[in-house]
Amino acid sequence: MRMSEGVEWAIHSCINLSWLEPGEAVTAARMAAFYELPPAYLNKQLQALARAGILTSTPGPRGGFRLARSPGDISLLDVVTAIEGREEAFRCEEIVARGPGEHEGIDYRRSCFVSQAMRRAEMAWRRELAGQTLADLRSTVERRLPSAPGDARTRFANLRT
Amino acid sequence: MRMSEGVEWAIHSCINLSWLEPGEAVTAARMAAFYELPPAYLNKQLQALARAGILTSTPGPRGGFRLARSPGDISLLDVVTAIEGREEAFRCEEIVARGPGEHEGIDYRRSCFVSQAMRRAEMAWRRELAGQTLADLRSTVERRLPSAPGDARTRFANLRT
DNA sequence: GATTAAATACTCGGATATCACATGTCCGAGTCTCCCTGG
DNA sequence: CCAGGGAGACTCGGACATGTGATATCCGAGTATTTAATC
């Protein structure tokens, strides 16, 4: 079980976007140069965030991506779901339905106890992610490293490409 | 992010094994026939459980797999870890180290706040899984379907191959 | 100088390759069982 | 009848294919800007 590395890219990108002036946008190419990532692939991840309503994208010159809403209204779960999709990690194949007993019209994805236990665990995971917003993360970073927002801004200014 | 379907196979197999007489073993082929699964591949999963110390395996005629210890001493987390491995789903690639600021000798897998948040969520997930033993699951099944142990035994008896 | 319209450069967006890992299969090493032979 | 030995069959265990999804790339549609020509 492995989470896409795009999740890490997306979270860091969103935090960086939250340090921009309102209305300011950053292209996928510049964000990729910031972290030395493959530009086209990062672009794909940012597109996923845009489809999920976390970012807004504008084409053409002076275009790029920006946050679609306040960082306090974006949870980590939102970002993870945007990249990884809505499906759960554990997917009940209902193999128990091929065992003994009566199985008429039973949905084991809901009723199987194994499935339920796994779902409980994933719920705990989701709850933990939903309880943290990008604003929380951002303020934690700023408390530890107050120069971070300025550092990011100057780095964007000095990037070539 | 997708969990191996082998996890579902492993948990159901272990519960079935817990219904056997002490000292009784079941071969991978019979367990596969029980659930109509590919025998060689199920064998591979059961091997992983054996390596993890959850099952013991004996070769030769009358051989097979059996539980290595009491179902009350086997948590769901044990089984999941045996199949999926020890690594976490989120793996920090430390892309933040390629951003601005000083990074000498910093291990961002530990100190990056994104990494910490993701780890917290996975801890919650693990805690939930560690809190449930195979004995818990088994008793829940038996309470809902008291004939389950007997059904499983007779099915093993009537399996061909 | 202002207006308009075309050319241009730039951006996202999705279609297209490439690669790693999960899934699935096969055969050999080891072991227990059973039978056969000899006493 | 009993003991011993060997052949045989059965099981796990790991090495070997295959398929699917993540990773990475490329090019086209659309838009804001710039430029140039015209009034």
Side-chain angles (χ1 to χ4, degrees):
Chain A
M1 190 173 54
R2 179 173 199 156
M3 180 174 296
S4 163
E5 58 181 337
V7 171
E8 183 181 1
W9 303 2
I11 297 176
H12 283 294
S13 295
C14 285
I15 292 179
N16 255 325
L17 289 177
S18 77
W19 282 326
L20 297 181
E21 302 288 345
E24 196 175 354
V26 170
T27 70
R30 293 176 67 78
M31 188 65 82
F34 191 102
Y35 287 123
E36 301 172 19
L37 299 174
Y41 192 32
L42 176 61
N43 183 33
K44 189 170 188 156
Q45 312 290 353
L46 297 181
Q47 281 177 39
L49 294 177
R51 269 195 300 274
I54 295 173
L55 302 183
T56 60
S57 62
T58 55
R62 306 282 300 163
F65 295 93
R66 71 198 75 184
L67 286 182
R69 55 184 193 268
S70 160
D73 292 335
I74 303 173
S75 71
L76 285 185
L77 181 61
D78 293 333
V79 178
V80 170
T81 302
I83 301 294
E84 288 286 329
R86 264 200 184 76
E87 280 198 288
E88 306 185 11
F90 179 85
R91 306 180 193 175
C92 180
E93 296 288 341
E94 303 186 271
I95 69 167
V96 71
R98 301 201 279 269
E102 289 302 324
H103 311 294
E104 284 302 315
I106 299 179
D107 182 1
Y108 283 100
R109 283 182 293 267
R110 297 178 40 124
S111 62
C112 172
F113 299 106
V114 174
S115 192
Q116 290 178 3
M118 299 304 290
R119 177 154 32 243
R120 244 196 318 278
E122 290 204 27
M123 284 301 174
W125 179 74
R126 292 178 124 80
R127 195 176 311 123
E128 202 70 29
L129 289 180
Q132 299 231 339
T133 68
L134 290 183
D136 298 331
L137 259 183
R138 188 179 62 165
S139 65
T140 306
V141 172
E142 291 175 358
R143 197 175 316 123
R144 178 69 73 93
L145 194 69
S147 65
D151 291 350
R153 300 275 271 287
T154 58
R155 176 159 236 248
F156 274 123
N158 295 340
L159 278 179
R160 62 189 50 271
T161 294
Chain B
M1 189 173 53
R2 179 172 199 160
M3 179 174 297
S4 164
E5 59 180 336
V7 170
E8 183 181 2
W9 302 3
I11 296 176
H12 282 294
S13 295
C14 284
I15 292 179
N16 256 323
L17 289 177
S18 77
W19 281 326
L20 296 181
E21 302 289 344
E24 199 174 353
V26 169
T27 70
R30 292 175 67 79
M31 187 65 81
F34 190 103
Y35 287 123
E36 300 172 22
L37 299 174
Y41 192 31
L42 175 62
N43 183 33
K44 191 171 188 157
Q45 313 289 355
L46 298 182
Q47 281 177 39
L49 295 178
R51 268 195 300 275
I54 295 173
L55 303 182
T56 59
S57 64
T58 55
R62 304 284 300 165
F65 294 93
R66 73 200 71 186
L67 286 182
R69 54 183 194 266
S70 161
D73 291 336
I74 302 173
S75 70
L76 285 185
L77 181 61
D78 292 334
V79 178
V80 170
T81 302
I83 301 295
E84 288 285 329
R86 264 197 184 78
E87 282 197 288
E88 305 185 11
F90 179 85
R91 307 178 193 177
C92 179
E93 297 287 341
E94 304 186 272
I95 68 168
V96 70
R98 301 201 278 268
E102 289 302 325
H103 310 294
E104 285 301 317
I106 298 179
D107 182 2
Y108 283 101
R109 283 182 294 266
R110 298 178 40 125
S111 62
C112 172
F113 299 105
V114 174
S115 191
Q116 290 177 5
M118 299 305 290
R119 178 155 30 242
R120 244 197 317 279
E122 290 203 27
M123 285 299 173
W125 179 74
R126 292 177 123 80
R127 194 176 311 121
E128 203 70 30
L129 290 180
Q132 299 231 339
T133 68
L134 290 182
D136 298 332
L137 260 182
R138 189 180 61 164
S139 65
T140 307
V141 171
E142 291 175 0
R143 197 175 316 123
R144 177 70 72 92
L145 195 69
S147 66
D151 291 350
R153 300 275 272 287
T154 59
R155 176 160 236 249
F156 274 124
N158 295 339
L159 279 179
R160 60 188 52 271
T161 296

